[in-house]
Amino acid sequence: YTAYREYLARTGRGNTSYEQAARVFLRGWPQPTAWAAEPLSVRLSANSATRPLITFLMLHQGLAPGYDYLLERKLSTFWRDIHGSPLKASLDRFMDAAAELGFTERVRFATGSQVPARLLIQTGRPLEQLTLSDLAEFAQACHDRQTRTGKGHTHYLSGLSNTQRVLFHLGILDTLPRSGGPVGFEERLAEVADPVRVAMIAYLNRKMATCKPKTVTATATRLMHFGVFLAHLDPALASIRDLDRRRHIEPYLTSLT
């Protein structure tokens, strides 16, 4: 709360309604990470006097509010609020690289706030540590949002393609965005260790015979996240037959929160 008040004073934005809203918010969620675990309806119910605090927590205190929340909220004050934030160095590097590639100023600023800003907020990692899995998770969140609300996400997917191109230019990713067509299971599960990856791909190929493509691609995304988790948790896992509830399944379920 003290850091937020100092931030408001430093930026000339302090007023009693913002401070009162911050006190109410922090009484309800002394640990803001608990707010991030609330249902989306609760997170979206924060009023206009509370949202500046949430933005401050996201940009300066490492709060990850969930892609579902980030895709529903316009980051209208992002370029003003980013100054002094730990995220600024990563955004500056992204914007400089986008300029080198010839993106116009309008596209650079639109892309910067649409995708890399949200990736940095949610992952809590600097630009250099973003992965293809992060981009895939963002894309899936866009699809989930469209299913949930009916709102289109073409602008986000366009921004995602631009972001991948910039990250490739910087040497952070080794793959350019695809120009069209479905992404193969081999590529989507590339970060999953063998032989788990082989088993997952075989399962998905067989599932194509009985399920709609949209259902299978959603399953592939979820298997990819589980497989990447297993690759980090137990690199020596020799077979899906060796999966153990306490050693593998329950830690993964815990990680989802």
Side-chain angles (χ1 to χ4, degrees):
Y1 177 67
T2 300
Y4 179 55
R5 289 190 65 192
E6 291 172 352
Y7 165 76
L8 291 176
R10 186 170 64 251
T11 57
R13 300 170 60 199
N15 64 59
T16 55
S17 63
Y18 282 9
E19 294 180 8
Q20 174 64 23
R23 288 195 295 272
V24 171
F25 179 92
L26 292 170
R27 277 199 298 268
W29 295 279
Q31 295 296 327
T33 51
W35 171 85
E38 295 282 6
L40 179 60
S41 59
V42 174
R43 283 172 281 147
L44 291 178
S45 67
N47 61 27
S48 59
T50 306
R51 286 198 289 271
L53 169 67
I54 295 171
T55 299
F56 169 78
L57 293 172
M58 292 191 302
L59 297 183
H60 296 267
Q61 302 291 322
L63 176 66
Y67 284 125
D68 52 355
Y69 176 86
L70 288 168
L71 291 172
E72 291 297 333
R73 283 283 176 245
K74 291 183 178 180
L75 303 182
S76 55
T77 63
F78 175 78
W79 294 110
R80 178 184 64 190
D81 295 333
I82 192 67
H83 293 289
S85 164
L87 279 60
K88 189 175 188 303
S90 287
L91 260 296
D92 285 347
R93 187 182 181 200
F94 180 90
M95 297 294 282
D96 289 343
E100 291 175 4
L101 287 172
F103 287 107
T104 65
E105 183 179 55
R106 184 184 66 81
V107 172
R108 291 200 304 272
F109 277 93
T111 299
S113 59
Q114 283 174 348
V115 179
R118 288 171 165 84
L119 288 171
L120 294 171
I121 289 169
Q122 186 58 30
T123 64
R125 288 183 265 112
L127 194 72
E128 295 77 12
Q129 295 180 20
L130 294 179
T131 67
L132 285 172
S133 294
D134 295 324
L135 271 61
E137 185 176 358
F138 186 96
Q140 184 60 46
C142 291
H143 292 302
D144 291 344
R145 174 178 177 264
Q146 178 164 325
T147 300
R148 184 177 67 252
T149 67
K151 297 178 182 178
H153 55 261
T154 303
H155 59 302
Y156 281 124
L157 296 184
S158 176
L160 197 60
S161 178
N162 292 341
T163 298
Q164 185 172 346
R165 192 169 298 278
V166 172
L167 295 179
F168 177 84
H169 175 66
L170 287 169
I172 296 170
L173 300 180
D174 58 7
T175 306
L176 280 167
R178 302 177 78 259
S179 59
V183 179
F185 297 138
E186 287 278 356
E187 181 179 342
R188 294 185 66 178
L189 275 66
E191 295 185 47
V192 179
D194 286 335
V196 174
R197 181 170 63 89
V198 173
M200 286 183 172
I201 292 173
Y203 168 76
L204 291 168
N205 284 330
R206 285 157 180 74
K207 196 172 180 65
M208 289 291 291
T210 57
C211 298
K212 294 180 179 179
K214 184 176 180 180
T215 300
V216 180
T217 193
T219 302
T221 297
R222 285 154 177 77
L223 284 178
M224 179 269 292
H225 289 306
F226 181 45
V228 170
F229 176 84
L230 290 175
H232 291 289
L233 177 71
D234 188 1
L237 184 66
S239 168
I240 58 172
R241 293 186 181 89
D242 297 329
L243 286 174
D244 177 78
R245 180 180 181 87
R246 289 188 176 180
R247 186 179 177 189
H248 301 109
I249 307 299
E250 291 179 357
Y252 177 65
L253 295 177
T254 300
S255 77
L256 294 178
T257 62

